[in-house]
Amino acid sequence: MSPKSPADQWRELAERELKADPKMLNRDYGNIAIEPVYLGTDPDAEIPGVEPFTRGVRATMYANRPWTIRQYAGFSTARESNSFYRQALAGGQKGLSVAFDLATHRGYDSDHPRVIGDVGKAGVAIDSVEDMKILFDQIPLDQMSVSMTMNGAVIPVLAMFIVAAEEQGVKPDQLSGTIQNDVLKEFMVRNTYIYPPEPSMRIVGDIIAWTAQHAPKFNSVSISGYHMHEAGATAVQELAYTLADGMEYVRAAMAKGLDIDAFAPRLSFFFGIGMNFFLEVAKLRAARQLWSRIMTDLGAKDPRSKMLRTHCQTSGVSLTEQDPHNNIVRTTIEALAATLGGTQSLHTNSFDEAIALPTEFSSRIARNTQLILQHESRITDVVDPLGGSYYVEALTTSLVEQASLLIDDAEVAGGMTRAVAEGTPKLEIEKAAAVRQARVDRGEDVIVGVNRYRLDTEAPLEVRDIDNARVRAEQVERLAEVRRTRDDSAVTAALDALREYAAMDEGNLLSAAVNAARARATLGEVSAAMEDIFGRYTATTRLISGVYAQSYADDPQYAELSRRIAAFKADRTRSPAIFIAKMGQDGHDRGAKIIASAFADLGFDVQIGALFETAAEVADQAGDLRVDAIGVSSLAAGHKTLVPALIDALQARGLGHIAVIVGGVIPEADYDFLHEAGVVEIFGPGTNVLEAAYAVLGQIEGKLTNK
């Protein structure tokens, strides 16, 4: 018997997937005959739905069922987010993706003094099971797939979700969705970690083990390259480090005694999609090919264990504050790349997210972008429509080869847990980010409306503004009610059991946390119980150097600024000094690191503070270091609370002469407020680093002249 042709193999697979409905979608192209998939005549040609899954994890892909529209959202209180979710579901969204506020991410209750500017700002505040129940009110958790982006406080958040579902009448084995539970990338880029790497990896393993036994339809890990992408990683770095993280999680679960095929089919991935259209398409194809190979080498036998299933999100860092309606076009291009690359679900960013949280208006446009692609573009008619393109296939092969080399380097170094602890991947990503920013600043990479084709004036944009003080007051009141009405002895016993599990390195931490959540222990209490044993991790900050100096070697503007700084040093026997600060619980430090590295190359004396500092801590350090200026990096909307607190703290210490500069995601409507508070310069997204350095130096010189 002659071997089956690729087309025959594909038809058999497709028929099995379609089962009772063997018809593909109606493809009326007039007299043009359209096939659901295009295959070469080579008997070894890759087929969609067959290892190594380069062309897709299912034979029929979107021709049978389109990707899931899963918009990432959450803000303010659980009640307000619930209303937003139900409105989005009514408007065509198919799954939920929950954004938590930074206080929740970092394991703090809303009444903790370190989170005064963070509550409800960049996500929804969750302090207890009662908040979680409100968040999913009238949303049946046995029918709705729920994704939760949570890593640091993953144990209490998942425990509260499980208990909220129980009290809705939904058992764990009925739950579907995903918990991110990808802590390694937190140490590389996003920084919403709580515990050191080793106990954090234990948490990952315990969650995989618990869900494999009790919630088999729930994805226990979403291995994320998205945050690496947003931090400036190249496509090769994002691919390699993400898949190397995945290898580490698989080994952690196997170390718990789990058979690889018992849990691996529930692993999923999460990639960022940027503006290099064909490269992003190829990146998803390469990821599937690499993961199939990796899992085979790790011993997987079940084909489902070798399928890389992924969620994607269009890039936030590609969005611009300048001429922001251009972002609608950018998001559409990125969404098209994700879908032609074969994503399983997708979030499309709103055009105003370089400035603030999205409004209902901008969110509707973002959601409708996907609906238009699904219903009007006809891209869902054909499986892997770019398969066979010489360019796309060459890019896919190159990405596989180069990412494999980086993965091998991580393996030789002892695996990603060790590499992350040593800081090597973090440093390499920061170098890539600095190189990219220098290219943008020099105009070598064109950003329309930013470094070319700029508008002379821009119309004001309506943005969403969260009343942080109101939200925090509501959360504090709800916390007090929970504590007043619960059985304190039951809470104490449950938290003691959790500490015992943590200390003895036995028992399942999620199981113990579920018991604590049932007793109404708060998120902060569950996190603190484990922190008592594991400790809280503090990163070591390292700056890269030389990238800007090399990139601007022949630039006259750079040379002139360097001469001015040298003259300043000669005149005052010291360099102009700036302290780069990150206040609150926002761990995104790409902007802060780029500014610090560029200013240091120029000749500034740059000191960079630790992450997660309070206004008082920053003021104390600025006084001790005798700096001329403080540069505050703010990306999580806490600037209206934290920056005035810093200025008050400086005044109270007799340090009012220190210039305060703010950069990051700052709505223009807030500029007057910050200036009135005492801020001397504000730099939004897209600011040229050299222009910022000129302005800061001018402020320092002016302050010293008038002092």
Side-chain angles (χ1 to χ4, degrees), residues 126-127 160 192 219 224 234 267 279 283 317 340 389 407 409 432 465 482 492 503 506 621 652 663:
I126 297 294
D127 293 314
M160 289 171 184
T192 55
N219 299 323
S224 175
T234 65
L267 300 178
L279 186 68
K283 182 175 73 181
V317 77
L340 292 181
S389 156
I407 292 170
D409 288 345
D465 185 31
V482 167
T492 299
E506 61 183 42
Q621 291 176 81

Short mmCIF file of all heavy atoms in Angstrom, two decimals, residues 126-127 160 192 219 224 234 267 279 283 317 340 389 407 409 432 465 482 492 503 506 621 652 663:
data_model
loop_
_atom_site.label_atom_id
_atom_site.label_comp_id
_atom_site.label_asym_id
_atom_site.label_seq_id
_atom_site.Cartn_x
_atom_site.Cartn_y
_atom_site.Cartn_z
N ILE A 126 -8.11 42.92 44.94
CA ILE A 126 -8.70 41.72 45.53
C ILE A 126 -8.02 41.46 46.87
O ILE A 126 -6.81 41.23 46.94
CB ILE A 126 -8.52 40.49 44.62
CG1 ILE A 126 -9.26 40.69 43.30
CG2 ILE A 126 -8.99 39.22 45.33
CD1 ILE A 126 -10.76 40.75 43.41
N ASP A 127 -8.80 41.52 47.94
CA ASP A 127 -8.28 41.30 49.29
C ASP A 127 -8.79 40.04 49.94
O ASP A 127 -8.18 39.55 50.89
CB ASP A 127 -8.63 42.50 50.19
CG ASP A 127 -7.91 43.77 49.78
OD1 ASP A 127 -6.70 43.70 49.52
OD2 ASP A 127 -8.55 44.82 49.72
N MET A 160 -8.49 31.81 46.37
CA MET A 160 -9.74 32.56 46.49
C MET A 160 -10.65 32.35 45.29
O MET A 160 -11.88 32.33 45.44
CB MET A 160 -9.42 34.04 46.70
CG MET A 160 -8.83 34.33 48.06
SD MET A 160 -8.22 36.02 48.22
CE MET A 160 -7.50 35.93 49.88
N THR A 192 7.13 41.54 39.64
CA THR A 192 6.09 41.41 40.67
C THR A 192 6.25 40.07 41.40
O THR A 192 5.30 39.31 41.57
CB THR A 192 4.67 41.55 40.08
OG1 THR A 192 4.49 40.62 39.04
CG2 THR A 192 4.42 42.94 39.57
N ASN A 219 -5.59 25.35 33.03
CA ASN A 219 -4.17 25.48 32.66
C ASN A 219 -3.38 26.03 33.85
O ASN A 219 -3.62 27.16 34.28
CB ASN A 219 -4.01 26.40 31.45
CG ASN A 219 -4.72 25.87 30.23
OD1 ASN A 219 -4.76 24.67 29.99
ND2 ASN A 219 -5.31 26.76 29.45
N SER A 224 5.23 32.91 29.95
CA SER A 224 5.04 34.22 29.31
C SER A 224 6.31 34.80 28.72
O SER A 224 7.28 35.03 29.42
CB SER A 224 4.46 35.21 30.33
OG SER A 224 4.36 36.50 29.78
N THR A 234 14.62 40.90 22.15
CA THR A 234 14.51 40.57 20.73
C THR A 234 13.59 39.36 20.58
O THR A 234 13.29 38.66 21.56
CB THR A 234 15.88 40.24 20.13
OG1 THR A 234 16.37 39.04 20.75
CG2 THR A 234 16.87 41.38 20.36
N LEU A 267 -0.31 22.91 29.99
CA LEU A 267 0.59 24.06 29.96
C LEU A 267 0.22 24.94 28.77
O LEU A 267 -0.15 24.44 27.71
CB LEU A 267 2.04 23.62 29.83
CG LEU A 267 2.59 22.71 30.94
CD1 LEU A 267 4.03 22.33 30.62
CD2 LEU A 267 2.49 23.38 32.29
N LEU A 279 8.12 38.73 11.06
CA LEU A 279 8.92 38.12 12.12
C LEU A 279 8.02 37.60 13.23
O LEU A 279 8.27 36.53 13.80
CB LEU A 279 9.92 39.14 12.67
CG LEU A 279 10.93 38.59 13.69
CD1 LEU A 279 11.89 37.62 13.01
CD2 LEU A 279 11.70 39.73 14.34
N LYS A 283 7.65 33.87 14.52
CA LYS A 283 7.99 33.58 15.93
C LYS A 283 7.03 32.55 16.51
O LYS A 283 7.46 31.61 17.21
CB LYS A 283 7.93 34.88 16.74
CG LYS A 283 8.32 34.72 18.20
CD LYS A 283 8.37 36.07 18.90
CE LYS A 283 6.99 36.63 19.13
NZ LYS A 283 7.02 37.96 19.79
N VAL A 317 4.26 48.49 24.30
CA VAL A 317 5.39 49.39 24.12
C VAL A 317 5.39 50.01 22.73
O VAL A 317 6.01 51.05 22.51
CB VAL A 317 6.72 48.65 24.41
CG1 VAL A 317 7.13 47.75 23.25
CG2 VAL A 317 7.82 49.62 24.74
N LEU A 340 -2.41 35.25 11.94
CA LEU A 340 -1.76 34.51 10.85
C LEU A 340 -0.66 33.61 11.38
O LEU A 340 -0.27 32.64 10.73
CB LEU A 340 -1.19 35.49 9.82
CG LEU A 340 -2.22 36.28 9.00
CD1 LEU A 340 -1.53 37.19 8.00
CD2 LEU A 340 -3.20 35.36 8.29
N SER A 389 5.43 30.27 2.30
CA SER A 389 6.10 31.49 1.87
C SER A 389 7.61 31.34 2.08
O SER A 389 8.05 31.00 3.17
CB SER A 389 5.59 32.69 2.68
OG SER A 389 6.53 33.73 2.71
N ILE A 407 18.96 28.68 24.21
CA ILE A 407 18.46 27.67 25.14
C ILE A 407 19.60 26.77 25.59
O ILE A 407 19.71 26.44 26.79
CB ILE A 407 17.33 26.86 24.49
CG1 ILE A 407 16.09 27.73 24.27
CG2 ILE A 407 16.96 25.64 25.36
CD1 ILE A 407 15.02 27.08 23.41
N ASP A 409 22.70 27.56 25.80
CA ASP A 409 23.53 28.33 26.73
C ASP A 409 22.94 28.29 28.14
O ASP A 409 23.69 28.14 29.13
CB ASP A 409 23.64 29.79 26.27
CG ASP A 409 24.52 29.94 25.04
OD1 ASP A 409 25.27 29.00 24.71
OD2 ASP A 409 24.45 31.01 24.40
N ALA A 432 19.39 44.89 24.92
CA ALA A 432 18.60 44.94 23.69
C ALA A 432 17.65 46.13 23.71
O ALA A 432 17.45 46.81 22.69
CB ALA A 432 17.82 43.64 23.51
N ASP A 465 -9.84 57.87 34.54
CA ASP A 465 -9.10 58.26 35.73
C ASP A 465 -9.72 57.54 36.93
O ASP A 465 -10.93 57.61 37.15
CB ASP A 465 -9.18 59.78 35.93
CG ASP A 465 -8.32 60.25 37.10
OD1 ASP A 465 -7.29 59.61 37.37
OD2 ASP A 465 -8.70 61.25 37.76
N VAL A 482 -14.78 41.96 56.71
CA VAL A 482 -14.38 40.55 56.65
C VAL A 482 -13.73 40.12 57.95
O VAL A 482 -14.04 39.05 58.50
CB VAL A 482 -13.42 40.32 55.45
CG1 VAL A 482 -12.74 38.96 55.55
CG2 VAL A 482 -14.16 40.44 54.13
N THR A 492 -6.45 31.60 62.22
CA THR A 492 -5.13 31.36 62.82
C THR A 492 -4.67 29.93 62.57
O THR A 492 -3.51 29.68 62.19
CB THR A 492 -5.17 31.65 64.32
OG1 THR A 492 -5.52 33.03 64.53
CG2 THR A 492 -3.83 31.37 64.96
N ALA A 503 7.48 25.51 55.97
CA ALA A 503 8.71 25.28 56.73
C ALA A 503 9.23 23.86 56.58
O ALA A 503 10.44 23.63 56.51
CB ALA A 503 8.47 25.59 58.20
N GLU A 506 6.86 20.13 52.84
CA GLU A 506 5.99 19.02 52.51
C GLU A 506 4.55 19.51 52.56
O GLU A 506 4.25 20.57 53.10
CB GLU A 506 6.18 17.85 53.47
CG GLU A 506 5.87 18.17 54.91
CD GLU A 506 6.14 16.99 55.83
OE1 GLU A 506 7.17 16.32 55.65
OE2 GLU A 506 5.30 16.76 56.72
N GLN A 621 17.12 58.79 50.81
CA GLN A 621 18.29 58.44 49.99
C GLN A 621 18.79 59.64 49.19
O GLN A 621 20.00 59.85 49.07
CB GLN A 621 17.93 57.30 49.04
CG GLN A 621 17.70 55.97 49.74
CD GLN A 621 17.24 54.91 48.76
OE1 GLN A 621 18.06 54.32 48.06
NE2 GLN A 621 15.95 54.67 48.70
N ALA A 652 9.89 68.50 53.91
CA ALA A 652 9.97 68.25 55.36
C ALA A 652 11.41 68.02 55.81
O ALA A 652 11.75 68.25 56.97
CB ALA A 652 9.11 67.04 55.72
N GLY A 663 8.68 60.81 34.59
CA GLY A 663 8.57 60.25 33.25
C GLY A 663 7.74 58.99 33.27
O GLY A 663 7.66 58.30 34.29
#
